[in-house]
Amino acid sequence: NLVKAQTYYDKCLALRPDSFFVYQGLMDLYVFTDHFTEAEELYKTIRERFDSDSLLNTLSSSLADAYSSSKDYDKALTFYNKMLDQDSNDAFIYFQIAELYDKKKDTKSSIANLHKAIKNDSNYTQAYVKLGEIYYNKKDYSKAKKILEESNEKYMIAYGSSPYSLDLHYYLGMIAVREDRKFDAILSYL
């Protein structure tokens, strides 16, 4: 019951008003029960009380994920951009922003953010795969192939094996099928 849980957290806040983890628990409760207005108000309170960027990024990420799940992409973008204000080199945040733009059907912004993710982490396989997927869906198969193969090669150099990415191998296989390279397609699917 939300009311009982909120009462519990309110009591905890009264006992330990400076404990970030109590605030985080209450924030999680609001997020998981889709009480976003309360979550945003609590987030503002937490920002006033705590200086730690990593703690605030934890909460921002939680809110951004919740908004993304509820398909309120603009709100999710707001929170991811707040996280970028703290660390503009975080490839994961750029990747998440790219995913949101892709869901909004804003391919140009999605591609731009994927390039930022790759610029900040040249071995970020997921970003390459998403970029390859976008070009594949745009029917630019040669560009998709180039990006996916580059990702595979970088990963193999860095880690000594092919990445465990089903999407990477799926799209490479689909491109091989389109190019009538059946044996390569079979290898990709294996």
Side-chain angles (χ1 to χ4, degrees):
N1 185 326
L2 176 64
V3 175
K4 287 181 182 179
Q6 187 169 355
T7 302
Y8 169 77
Y9 280 111
D10 287 342
K11 288 179 182 178
C12 289
L13 289 174
L15 294 172
R16 296 177 56 194
D18 292 327
S19 172
F20 174 79
F21 299 104
V22 173
Y23 283 102
Q24 185 179 18
L26 184 55
M27 174 69 80
D28 289 343
L29 177 68
Y30 286 143
V31 166
F32 293 132
T33 59
D34 295 334
H35 287 82
F36 298 124
T37 304
E38 291 88 345
E40 283 186 45
E41 289 303 315
L42 183 61
Y43 179 77
K44 291 175 190 171
T45 301
I46 294 168
R47 285 189 66 158
E48 292 168 5
R49 288 183 163 248
F50 298 95
D51 290 334
S52 171
D53 292 339
S54 62
L55 296 177
L56 293 173
N57 279 348
T58 299
L59 296 183
S60 291
S61 180
S62 178
L63 277 174
D65 289 344
Y67 281 121
S68 179
S69 296
S70 69
K71 295 187 168 82
D72 193 345
Y73 303 131
D74 291 328
K75 285 274 192 179
L77 284 169
T78 298
F79 280 92
Y80 280 124
N81 283 317
K82 285 179 185 178
M83 293 170 68
L84 278 180
D85 288 343
Q86 303 299 319
D87 183 3
S88 63
N89 296 317
D90 190 329
F92 174 76
I93 297 171
Y94 285 113
F95 178 80
Q96 294 302 321
I97 290 171
E99 287 276 15
L100 291 170
Y101 279 121
D102 188 50
K103 290 175 183 175
K104 291 178 66 162
K105 308 289 187 230
D106 183 348
T107 304
K108 185 177 179 181
S109 295
S110 183
I111 290 171
N113 280 283
L114 288 167
H115 281 293
K116 290 176 185 176
I118 291 167
K119 180 182 175 193
N120 288 307
D121 181 355
S122 64
N123 291 321
Y124 197 167
T125 303
Q126 259 187 306
Y128 283 99
V129 172
K130 185 66 180 177
L131 195 55
E133 175 189 338
I134 289 171
Y135 283 114
Y136 182 87
N137 290 333
K138 289 176 68 169
K139 299 185 183 351
D140 189 343
Y141 303 116
S142 64
K143 198 164 201 168
K145 178 182 176 182
K146 180 182 175 192
I147 290 165
L148 294 168
E149 286 178 342
E150 181 181 356
S151 171
N152 197 32
E153 184 179 318
K154 282 182 174 284
Y155 193 93
M156 288 182 77
I157 290 169
Y159 302 106
S161 67
S162 185
Y164 184 74
S165 170
L166 297 178
D167 288 340
L168 172 70
H169 298 294
Y170 169 78
Y171 287 110
L172 283 173
M174 292 302 291
I175 291 167
V177 167
R178 296 193 65 73
E179 295 174 345
D180 202 29
R181 294 182 296 115
K182 293 177 180 149
F183 184 71
D184 290 336
I186 291 168
L187 288 177
S188 288
Y189 296 135
L190 291 177

